[in-house]
Amino acid sequence: PTAERRVLPASTVVRLAAEAAVLGTCEIFLTGGEPFLRSDIAELVTSCAAAAPTIVLTNGMLFRGARLGWLDACPREGVTLQISVDSATSALHDRHRGLGSHAAALDGIRTALDRGFRVRVAATLGPADHDQELERAGAPDLGHPGDLGGVEAVVGELHGDGLGGGK
C-alpha cells in the first residue's frame, strides 16, 4: 500500500466516546482495518464500552503474543467481538481471506469465548456463494460442534458494488 496510514489518536476516540454517552448513543462500533493492530485497543474498548454497548469488528486471527494481552485487558461487560467467518467451510473462506485464515478465525472465536467475551460471527457473501452458504448458516459446522455455543450469526449479502441488506 502506498497510502499513508490514518489512525484516530486514542485521545480523540476517548473524547468521542464521552460525547457519545452524553448524546445517548445506542451502540459504538470499532473497526479499522484490524483494531487489534493497535497497541492501545484496550484503552479504546474500555472508553467506548463505558459510553455504550461496543462492537469490535475483527478477523479474530491475532489473539496471541502481545495482542492476546491486549485482548485480556479489554472489558467484557458491554463488549461484543464480531469476528468475520465468510463460510462454514475453509475452502470458500480461505479463497477470500487467505490460506489458513478460516482455522485462525475459528481459533480466535474459541479464544474470545474462553476469555469470557460475547462473540458474534459475521459473513459477507458474494452472489455466487449466497444460496449455498445461507443454507449452511442455519447449522454451520465450525469445526468442533458444541464448542462454539452462544455465538450469534450475522450475514450480509454482497450485491454488485457494495454490501446489501443484512439477514
Side-chain angles (χ1 to χ4, degrees):
T2 58
E4 188 176 326
R5 186 171 183 228
R6 298 178 298 163
V7 176
L8 279 176
S11 60
T12 301
V13 175
V14 170
R15 179 180 54 80
L16 291 171
E19 290 176 15
V22 170
L23 295 171
T25 297
C26 297
E27 204 168 43
I28 296 173
F29 284 78
L30 292 175
T31 187
E34 171 54 53
F36 281 92
L37 289 174
R38 292 186 63 140
S39 61
D40 58 359
I41 187 63
E43 176 185 2
L44 305 182
V45 172
T46 299
S47 297
C48 291
T54 299
I55 297 160
V56 183
L57 283 70
T58 177
N59 62 29
M61 296 191 294
L62 302 178
F63 301 152
R64 60 188 176 280
R67 292 184 180 106
L68 183 58
W70 302 347
L71 175 67
D72 285 336
C74 291
R76 280 34 170 200
E77 186 67 32
V79 174
T80 299
L81 300 179
Q82 180 170 308
I83 299 177
S84 302
V85 178
D86 292 335
S87 176
T89 64
S90 61
L92 180 60
H93 179 93
D94 286 0
R95 186 173 80 211
H96 293 296
R97 295 187 182 259
L99 187 62
S101 61
H102 186 264
L106 296 184
D107 286 344
I109 292 169
R110 288 184 195 94
T111 297
L113 290 171
D114 288 348
R115 284 172 160 66
F117 285 94
R118 181 172 182 249
V119 174
R120 178 162 73 184
V121 173
T124 303
L125 306 175
D129 310 316
H130 181 264
D131 292 338
Q132 178 183 8
E133 291 302 320
L134 280 183
E135 183 176 306
R136 285 186 184 138
D141 176 6
L142 295 175
H144 300 286
D147 287 353
L148 302 176
V151 175
E152 177 185 346
V154 176
V155 180
E157 301 172 50
L158 194 60
H159 296 281
D161 61 353
L163 188 62
K167 295 202 177 191

